[in-house]
Structures are given as structure tokens and as C-alpha cells.
Amino acid sequence: MGFIRLLIIGLLLYLAWRVVKQLLPGAPSSTSQNPSHSDDAPEQMVKCMQCGVHVPASEAFSYRGQHFCSQEHQRQYLEHHDR
């Protein structure tokens, strides 16, 4: 009988701790963690035509389907290949 009483008290303490933890400000809630969040999605990488470095597509400089890691590499590449 004593073991069951300890088990129930332990369960009540655990539940109370969980409730208090959820009520504290700044505590992460389980509903705010969405695994399909857009920041977690992988971004497409593109290869710089000048140096070969891969950069995220959102940060690349593009011209006629060609991608570059910087405006300087875009300029250098186009000076040598658009003649």
C-alpha cells in the first residue's frame, strides 16, 4: 500500500512540475515547434561559374541561368566569356 501511495505522489508532483513549466514565460511550447518550418527546409545550392564555390540560391547573383557567388565574379566571368 505504501508503494502505490508513493507512486501516486510522484505522479502528482511530475504533473504539477509540467504545468508550472508550461506557465513560465519564455518556456518553449510543444505547439510552437513545427518540424515543417520553412527555416528548417534545405535550400538549393548553386555553383559559381567563376570559382566553383557553392552558395545558397537566394544569395547567388544570376545572369542568364548562370550563377555567381559575388558581383565581382559575375563581372569577371562575363568580361572573359561574353565576347
Side-chain angles (χ1 to χ4, degrees):
M1 191 71 161
F3 177 74
I4 293 175
R5 191 178 299 170
L6 284 175
L7 190 61
I8 291 172
I9 291 172
L11 179 64
L12 289 174
L13 287 173
Y14 173 75
L15 291 175
W17 174 74
R18 294 287 294 188
V19 168
V20 169
K21 186 177 174 183
Q22 289 294 324
L23 294 177
L24 290 176
S29 66
S30 60
T31 58
S32 68
Q33 297 173 350
N34 186 356
S36 63
H37 193 266
S38 63
D39 290 342
D40 296 337
E43 185 174 352
Q44 180 183 4
M45 302 291 282
V46 293
K47 184 177 179 180
C48 176
M49 295 298 293
Q50 179 67 17
C51 67
V53 169
H54 286 82
V55 294
S58 64
E59 297 176 17
F61 295 88
S62 299
Y63 178 75
R64 294 186 181 172
Q66 297 172 330
H67 307 286
F68 305 92
C69 64
S70 67
Q71 287 181 330
E72 180 64 21
H73 279 189
Q74 181 181 18
R75 184 189 62 74
Q76 290 173 0
Y77 182 86
L78 295 175
E79 280 179 0
H80 293 97
H81 293 90
D82 273 356
R83 290 184 180 183

